Amino acid sequence: MAAAAPGGVAGLCRLLLPLLAAVPAAGGSRGAVGGMLYPRESPSRELKELGGVWSFRADFSPGRAAGFEQRWYRRPLRETGPVIDMPVPASFNDITQDPNLENYIGWVWYEKEVLLPQRWLQDNLRVVLRFGSAHYYSVVWVNGVQVVEHEGGHLPFEADISSIVQGSPQIPCRITVALNNTLTPHTLPPGSIEYMNDRTRYPKNYFVQNIRFDFFNYAGIHRPVVLYTTPSVYIDDITVTTTSTESVAKVQYQVSVVGSTFYSLSLSLRDQEGRVVATGDGPAGVLKVSNPNLWWPYLMHENPGYRYFLEVKMQAQANEALLEDVYTLPVGIRTVHVTSTQFLINGKPFYFHGVNKHEDADIRGKGLDWALIVKDFNLLRWLGANSFRTSHYPYAEEIMDLCDAYGIVVIDECPGVGIKMPESFGNKSLQHHLVVMEELIRRDKNRPSVVMWSVANEPAAELPPAAYYFKTLIAHTKGLDPTRPVTFVTDTNYAVDRGAPYVDVICVNSYFSWYHDPGHLEVIPLQLTAQFENWYKTYQKPIIQSEYGADSVPGLHSDPPLMFSEEYQKAMLREYHSVFDKKRKEYVIGELIWNFADFMTNQGTTRVLGNKKGIFTRQRQPKSAAFVLRERYWKIANESSCLPPIMKSHILFL
């Protein structure tokens, strides 16, 4: 549907224009600018969470452009027409009983009025509005003044709103958000709008959003919205890298300060007991830690997920006042290295035995939910999973924090899923993809749990433009972060994949006896073995089976095993596992089941209320396959030479 944002009103109601055509390019096309430190309270920083009920209105006008034409952001949203209550964070799709909202494509509007503490309005104080993520294109106003645009879901963005709120201290702070969930050939993930012009079959102005990925295109303000303060001179960004030997670790740091060139910095690194183990000063340097506690993955050490805490203090003179800013960054000391046959963490072989997941649940869609997050981590640890891939987009920072704390290893994937159309490999798409990787690395660069970047999932890597596209994208990613390996996840035949030459680890998805030769479990050993041998012979790089699995309907049983029964899902897993056990002695370094839990998809003849490949139901109840995988993962952990005796005895007890 045609739609608009500030700066473009010509042809707003023309249905042949893409939904985002009138949005200025200034929002998401620029490179990532400035830091994106997670908002944490400190002696110099306060935080106000804006979760709860917001006012909401979908723009059902034919061109989805009424909100911009009538400038809904200029006054309270309730004065523009009917509004409803909408929870934040949450997807808006499943909240109401309105089927038009369930599958709505176009602009929706959110609004929240907030009273700020009087102390926030003083000089020498910044007030920042931050969104954890909103899907997909966002335009934000405060008291009718546009403060930020952002292209892309799943990653944070923010705006300094000090001048607006400090200039109007007597009125509530009115935050208005216009949000568009349209996907085009140049968004990540890509999509296309198809207009149905046959008036004998479709209503007037009828269109559908086509996508090339198998999960529901949930939309809304999915993660926390916060207001936070800093001094007018503040710590903008911190970058940490670590190296270690048995006796000494080096924590290399770089700190950027914004607001003044005259400042001092002091740093102290504390262990988990609060003891200072190293100190430093200045914007860059190296802290040395004797006899360090390394960050180890879950089940690889009796004390996994060990983190130090780097406290950075800045002092500066501004407007005849002494300003101080304090920020504390969790730091895990660990190294990552890839050989032709192994993935090494702290110099020791690491085998990925884990899952793929989705941010997906009943009612809330992709909205952040603490109860669900903690439940999922309890299930991961019960399962004996030591890793997961953020399929197929970056997960919430709150989830990543727990990965750091629990020692769950992460393959951090950007939203590059469904890149199938030739036009999605052009320069416009590539430029946006480069920016997305900049934003992702800026957000997650300091996380010890993140051991590898994934730049895409199942692209059409056989197309000729894919070679230049992935060569450029992976080189850019390595330039941003030379400390981590880079991959993308392929389902293209090894002989024609044009992106594989540029990755450090081969990640392969295959569904033998499901999408290929459905129902024939007997083909798995031959086909899976050939898959591994062909890839390794071609590239001599370690391989992860990044997806495999089968749908199963909970409670559906069949003997002999038939497709969609719990028995068939178990039987398929065991066939794959028999090959994994042979090849992990050579060059296979991981196995990630598809999927951790059932999840919602678009409606279709092959989906019954979503994808049923989960080993848990969408409500997080185990299917039979969960027990098969649990037995296997704990057995692999028990066989690990890295596991201390105390953990081995615990596993045997289980």
Side-chain angles (χ1 to χ4, degrees):
M1 300 290 295
V9 294
L12 288 180
C13 296
R14 293 183 47 139
L15 297 180
L16 295 180
L17 290 178
L19 272 161
L20 293 172
V23 174
S29 61
R30 297 175 299 183
V33 178
M36 192 56 67
L37 294 172
Y38 185 74
R40 304 181 191 277
E41 289 194 301
S42 76
S44 61
R45 299 181 175 217
E46 287 190 82
L47 191 69
K48 186 178 181 68
E49 296 189 3
L50 304 184
V53 175
W54 289 47
S55 296
F56 177 89
R57 184 179 181 188
D59 186 346
F60 284 105
S61 64
R64 302 292 199 256
F68 291 101
E69 291 175 329
Q70 300 168 19
R71 300 182 179 183
W72 289 356
Y73 52 88
R74 289 287 185 90
R75 51 187 171 144
L77 194 59
R78 62 184 177 275
E79 295 180 7
T80 69
V83 298
I84 62 173
D85 290 340
M86 187 61 63
V88 171
S91 302
F92 62 72
N93 307 82
D94 295 346
I95 300 298
T96 75
Q97 304 309 109
D98 185 354
N100 294 313
L101 202 57
E102 172 75 23
N103 296 294
Y104 178 87
I105 301 294
W107 291 100
V108 299
W109 294 72
Y110 286 81
E111 183 187 83
K112 182 82 166 180
E113 291 188 348
V114 185
L115 288 172
L116 302 184
Q118 189 68 32
R119 63 184 177 277
W120 283 26
L121 308 179
Q122 60 187 288
D123 292 337
N124 291 327
L125 198 69
R126 289 172 71 241
V127 180
V128 182
L129 173 62
R130 187 185 199 272
F131 291 78
S133 78
H135 190 81
Y136 175 78
Y137 197 104
S138 304
V139 186
V140 183
W141 298 262
V142 174
N143 295 343
V145 179
Q146 184 178 325
V147 295
V148 67
E149 292 180 43
H150 184 259
E151 181 179 0
H154 318 292
L155 289 166
F157 58 97
E158 63 183 27
D160 183 338
I161 64 170
S162 311
S163 61
I164 299 171
V165 298
Q166 291 168 353
S168 306
Q170 303 304 319
I171 63 175
C173 173
R174 179 167 49 85
I175 300 166
T176 309
V177 182
L179 189 61
N180 195 320
N181 63 339
T182 309
L183 300 177
T184 76
H186 308 296
T187 57
L188 279 184
S192 61
I193 298 294
E194 182 178 0
Y195 303 95
M196 307 301 192
N197 297 319
D198 185 347
R199 295 289 296 278
T200 66
R201 301 180 63 194
Y202 301 100
K204 184 179 179 181
N205 300 333
Y206 192 84
F207 70 94
V208 293
Q209 169 80 76
N210 292 322
I211 56 176
R212 302 290 186 92
F213 52 84
D214 188 35
F215 55 93
F216 193 78
N217 185 31
Y218 278 115
I221 301 176
H222 284 152
R223 296 175 189 160
V225 183
V226 300
L227 287 165
Y228 72 91
T229 65
T230 74
S232 57
V233 183
Y234 60 96
I235 299 163
D236 179 60
D237 199 14
I238 306 169
T239 303
V240 168
T241 57
T242 63
T243 58
S244 66
T245 64
E246 289 185 3
S247 58
V248 178
K250 294 181 180 179
V251 179
Q252 186 171 347
Y253 67 87
Q254 191 167 5
V255 181
S256 65
V257 172
V258 171
S260 175
T261 56
F262 302 101
Y263 60 85
S264 63
L265 284 167
S266 61
L267 300 90
S268 58
L269 187 69
R270 299 177 183 272
D271 63 17
Q272 289 189 355
E273 287 70 43
R275 295 186 294 260
V276 175
V277 297
T279 60
D281 55 60
V286 177
L287 305 177
K288 294 184 179 180
V289 182
S290 300
N291 301 314
N293 289 302
L294 301 184
W295 187 94
W296 288 101
Y298 177 53
L299 298 180
M300 201 170 176
H301 191 272
E302 60 187 343
N303 189 14
Y306 190 95
R307 295 179 299 167
Y308 293 85
F309 297 90
L310 180 63
E311 183 182 75
V312 182
K313 288 186 178 181
M314 185 267 335
Q315 287 189 330
Q317 198 77 25
N319 300 325
E320 300 182 351
L322 179 64
L323 304 182
E324 183 175 87
D325 192 19
V326 181
Y327 189 89
T328 300
L329 178 74
V331 172
I333 298 174
R334 64 105 182 92
T335 59
V336 172
H337 182 64
V338 176
T339 73
S340 62
T341 59
Q342 292 181 318
F343 195 99
L344 304 175
I345 295 180
N346 299 330
K348 296 188 177 183
F350 177 77
Y351 186 77
F352 295 79
H353 48 89
V355 303
N356 293 275
K357 295 179 86 276
H358 266 299
E359 290 181 314
D360 171 275
D362 292 328
I363 302 174
R364 61 196 58 73
K366 290 192 179 302
L368 182 135
D369 182 279
W370 271 114
L372 189 73
I373 290 171
V374 174
K375 178 65 174 180
D376 281 1
F377 274 96
N378 282 329
L379 289 175
L380 286 171
R381 293 187 292 179
W382 173 87
L383 194 64
N386 63 7
S387 54
F388 65 77
R389 174 169 63 116
T390 67
S391 49
H392 301 296
Y393 39 81
Y395 291 175
E397 291 161 283
E398 292 77 6
I399 293 175
M400 305 299 285
D401 278 346
L402 290 182
C403 291
D404 289 341
Y406 294 157
I408 302 296
V409 170
V410 177
I411 301 173
D412 208 350
E413 189 163 271
C414 83
V417 57
I419 306 176
K420 302 292 189 181
M421 299 173 284
E423 56 264 50
S424 296
F425 286 94
N427 284 337
K428 185 175 181 180
S429 296
L430 177 57
Q431 289 303 312
H432 177 51
H433 207 149
L434 297 176
V435 171
V436 169
M437 291 310 301
E438 291 174 17
E439 292 186 359
L440 175 58
I441 291 171
R442 177 180 64 173
R443 193 195 79 165
D444 288 347
K445 61 187 174 183
N446 296 319
R447 296 191 175 279
S449 61
V450 175
V451 300
M452 184 157 56
W453 306 112
S454 172
V455 300
N457 176 77
E458 295 187 358
E462 73 281 2
L463 296 179
Y468 174 78
Y469 191 95
F470 284 108
K471 180 180 180 180
T472 304
L473 180 61
I474 291 172
H476 183 69
T477 302
K478 286 178 172 292
L480 295 167
D481 177 19
T483 70
R484 291 178 176 88
V486 180
T487 190
F488 74 89
V489 175
T490 186
D491 64 346
T492 302
N493 183 278
Y494 76 97
V496 296
D497 192 309
R498 297 173 185 265
Y502 308 107
V503 303
D504 298 302
V505 174
I506 302 292
C507 289
V508 184
N509 294 349
S510 59
Y511 290 89
F512 305 124
S513 85
W514 190 259
Y515 295 125
H516 311 284
D517 299 296
H520 292 279
L521 294 167
E522 65 274 12
V523 306
I524 293 175
L526 179 64
Q527 294 183 6
L528 185 58
T529 299
Q531 167 197 278
F532 287 141
E533 292 178 350
N534 287 331
W535 276 105
Y536 193 74
K537 181 180 179 181
T538 304
Y539 289 105
Q540 288 83 51
K541 296 175 181 178
I543 301 171
I544 296 175
Q545 183 73 39
S546 40
E547 287 184 26
Y548 71 104
D551 288 76
S552 68
V553 177
L556 181 63
H557 297 287
S558 173
D559 185 25
L562 298 179
M563 291 178 69
F564 292 98
S565 69
E566 292 195 39
E567 285 73 22
Y568 192 90
Q569 187 181 38
K570 289 195 303 180
M572 174 183 277
L573 264 58
R574 287 181 170 131
E575 293 290 346
Y576 267 81
H577 295 166
S578 66
V579 179
F580 294 162
D581 283 340
K582 296 174 183 177
K583 294 302 180 182
R584 68 186 173 99
K585 298 174 183 177
E586 302 175 43
Y587 46 75
V588 170
I589 61 168
E591 55 190 78
L592 304 177
I593 187 72
W594 188 268
N595 192 283
F596 172 73
D598 294 345
F599 57 91
M600 188 52 65
T601 65
N602 278 356
Q603 297 182 73
T605 54
T606 60
R607 295 285 177 252
V608 182
L609 290 178
N611 189 304
K612 294 292 192 290
K613 291 187 181 67
I615 58 169
F616 297 98
T617 67
R618 201 181 189 206
Q619 295 73 36
R620 276 45 180 187
Q621 295 304 313
K623 302 178 189 177
S624 300
F627 297 94
V628 172
L629 215 59
R630 181 176 191 251
E631 180 181 358
R632 173 172 179 79
Y633 284 176
W634 283 103
K635 181 181 178 182
I636 291 173
N638 190 34
E639 293 171 352
S640 170
S641 60
C642 301
L643 204 62
I646 187 173
M647 288 299 294
K648 287 190 175 184
S649 63
H650 175 62
I651 293 169
L652 292 173
F653 176 75
L654 287 172

